[in-house]
Amino acid sequence: APSRERRPGEGLVDAGPLSTLPVGGARFIRHGAQPLYVVRISETEVVALSGICTHLHCVLRWDDAGGRLLCPCHAGSFDRTGNVLAGRAPRPLPQSGVESVTT
């Protein structure tokens, strides 16, 4: 079977312009049918995290004051890189690659 070539940027998340996303901030986007949060960790580092809790698949919300993702279902929370801070989540949030981030 012929191998399928990967095009540059395939499977990556378009995070939009970096200038509109402050360091420590997050933007909610949809990548296909998947809800994601694009989080600006530092001047140069941006991650895209699943917007779905790894516990019972509730949709997360961004806590701007605390710089974290909160699960409304069972008081779960995740840090800005997706690590579990509290609650019943069994694993960190999946991350996606990010592209098209310009200043």
Side-chain angles (χ1 to χ4, degrees), residues 4 7 9 22 24 33 38-39 47 51 58 69-70 75 77 85 96-97 101:
R4 188 172 160 279
R7 295 184 319 242
V38 175
V39 183
V47 296
C58 295
L69 288 159
L70 302 176
S77 64
L85 294 173
S96 299
V101 180

Side-chain angles (χ1 to χ4, degrees), residues 4 34 58 99 103:
R4 188 172 160 279
Q34 182 179 10
C58 295
E99 71 169 355
T103 53

Side-chain angles (χ1 to χ4, degrees), residues 35-96:
L36 297 174
Y37 282 93
V38 175
V39 183
R40 188 167 182 188
I41 305 298
S42 67
E43 284 295 326
T44 58
E45 185 183 4
V46 178
V47 296
L49 301 172
S50 171
I52 304 293
C53 184
T54 56
H55 176 224
L56 291 177
H57 304 92
C58 295
V59 177
L60 301 170
R61 68 178 180 83
W62 178 254
D63 171 27
D64 212 29
R68 60 192 175 154
L69 288 159
L70 302 176
C71 180
C73 296
H74 297 98
S77 64
F78 299 85
D79 71 13
R80 58 191 185 156
T81 60
N83 293 309
V84 178
L85 294 173
R88 302 178 186 173
R91 61 192 172 279
L93 296 173
Q95 287 190 14
S96 299

